[in-house]
Amino acid sequence: TISIAVINELRKKYLAILNEEFILKFPDLRFKDGENSLLYHQAIKCLELFLDNEEKNIVSDGKYTILGVEKKMYHELKINHNNKNINVKIKGDIDRIDHTSKGIRIVDYKSGFLTSKDTKMKNFDAFSSKKYCLQLMLYAYLYHKNHNQTNLKSSIISLKNPKANFITLSINGSNTIDENILFEFEDYLTEFAIGLMDDHIEYKHNEKHKYCMIC
């Protein structure tokens, strides 16, 4: 269980742990000077703000329990296509799963800078341009299928925007993923999978995007 006392203990330890990780990457201590030093001090600041947010959340909503970290989730979606029963395998690795006073909270860490705009959408049609929304919704769906749980919250912690706190998936103004949304998402996945199996669809490269420079 994560409490104020646990956060205070982390405040005493996080700098030593961070130094250990940087020394593993830079045994010659190059992170003490130059550009690497900027990254090092940015990491310190981000962690300080992250712990501040954790404390504020506990004061506001109470202690919470971490149910799992880096949890692999798996589900087989059963589809009937052209009179054939097909199992579509869906997988995901969830960074963190919490049990809070408000229910289950799914958390994904991002190293980049994100805001609430990245996790807001009106409906599932927005998935084509809202990749983080799709990821958060998929994680919630997988958790639901593995634990038969509804009324979930699925959020991002942006390590380069720690002031944002939890950036929660919002669908048409609601940040709670209830049973109806989960049923609708399963229908969306079914239609999407059937579309992939349509022999009449021609797949083309999006001219707005560059080709992979590694392949």
Side-chain angles (χ1 to χ4, degrees):
T1 299
I2 307 301
S3 62
I4 297 293
V6 172
I7 298 301
N8 288 334
E9 283 299 311
L10 287 173
R11 291 187 196 279
K12 300 174 185 177
K13 299 175 181 178
Y14 83 89
L15 191 56
I17 296 171
L18 184 67
N19 281 327
E20 288 177 6
E21 293 299 319
F22 268 83
I23 289 171
L24 286 174
K25 188 70 175 178
F26 304 105
D28 55 2
L29 303 183
R30 279 184 291 128
F31 66 91
K32 297 290 186 180
D33 301 293
E35 182 180 350
N36 294 325
S37 175
L38 295 176
L39 295 173
Y40 173 70
H41 288 287
Q42 181 189 45
I44 292 175
K45 187 64 176 177
C46 287
L47 287 171
E48 288 174 348
L49 291 172
F50 170 75
L51 292 173
D52 287 345
N53 282 339
E54 289 287 279
E55 182 175 346
K56 290 175 184 176
N57 294 332
I58 292 169
V59 169
S60 173
D61 302 324
K63 297 181 288 185
Y64 68 91
T65 302
I66 297 179
L67 300 179
V69 292
E70 297 182 357
K71 296 290 290 184
K72 294 185 180 298
M73 293 283 170
Y74 173 85
H75 176 66
E76 284 193 1
L77 180 63
K78 300 183 185 301
I79 295 174
N80 184 278
H81 179 60
N82 290 337
N83 295 320
K84 293 181 180 179
N85 292 321
I86 300 170
N87 290 337
V88 177
K89 297 178 181 179
I90 304 172
K91 300 178 181 179
D93 294 336
I94 302 177
D95 288 341
R96 194 175 105 193
I97 303 165
D98 301 335
H99 184 271
T100 76
S101 62
K102 296 181 178 180
I104 299 297
R105 176 175 62 200
I106 294 165
V107 183
D108 186 59
Y109 292 102
K110 295 295 183 190
S111 58
F113 184 93
L114 280 80
T115 69
S116 59
K117 291 181 180 179
D118 296 299
T119 60
K120 285 184 179 179
M121 64 180 192
K122 289 185 177 180
N123 52 54
F124 296 156
D125 292 336
F127 282 146
S128 59
S129 60
K130 295 273 190 176
K131 62 180 181 180
Y132 299 114
C133 290
L134 176 58
Q135 183 182 17
L136 292 175
M137 187 64 225
L138 187 63
Y139 286 169
Y141 174 77
L142 285 170
Y143 187 85
H144 163 68
K145 285 298 181 182
N146 280 264
H147 297 278
N148 194 29
Q149 188 83 32
T150 60
N151 297 326
L152 309 168
K153 293 187 185 299
S154 196
S155 306
I156 283 174
I157 291 179
S158 170
L159 296 178
K160 287 190 178 178
N161 185 18
K163 290 183 179 180
N165 208 336
F166 288 100
I167 305 173
T168 303
L169 174 64
S170 174
I171 303 173
N172 198 24
S174 174
N175 59 9
T176 298
I177 302 172
D178 60 22
E179 190 174 31
N180 290 332
I181 292 175
L182 290 162
F183 279 137
E184 289 173 12
F185 184 67
E186 184 163 88
D187 288 341
Y188 169 86
L189 288 177
T190 300
E191 292 177 12
F192 179 80
I194 290 174
L196 291 177
M197 293 180 281
D198 190 338
D199 296 334
H200 298 94
I201 295 179
E202 183 179 359
Y203 292 94
K204 295 181 178 180
H205 173 71
N206 187 337
E207 295 181 358
K208 294 182 180 179
H209 296 283
K210 295 181 179 179
Y211 285 96
C212 176
M213 301 304 291
I214 298 174
C215 301

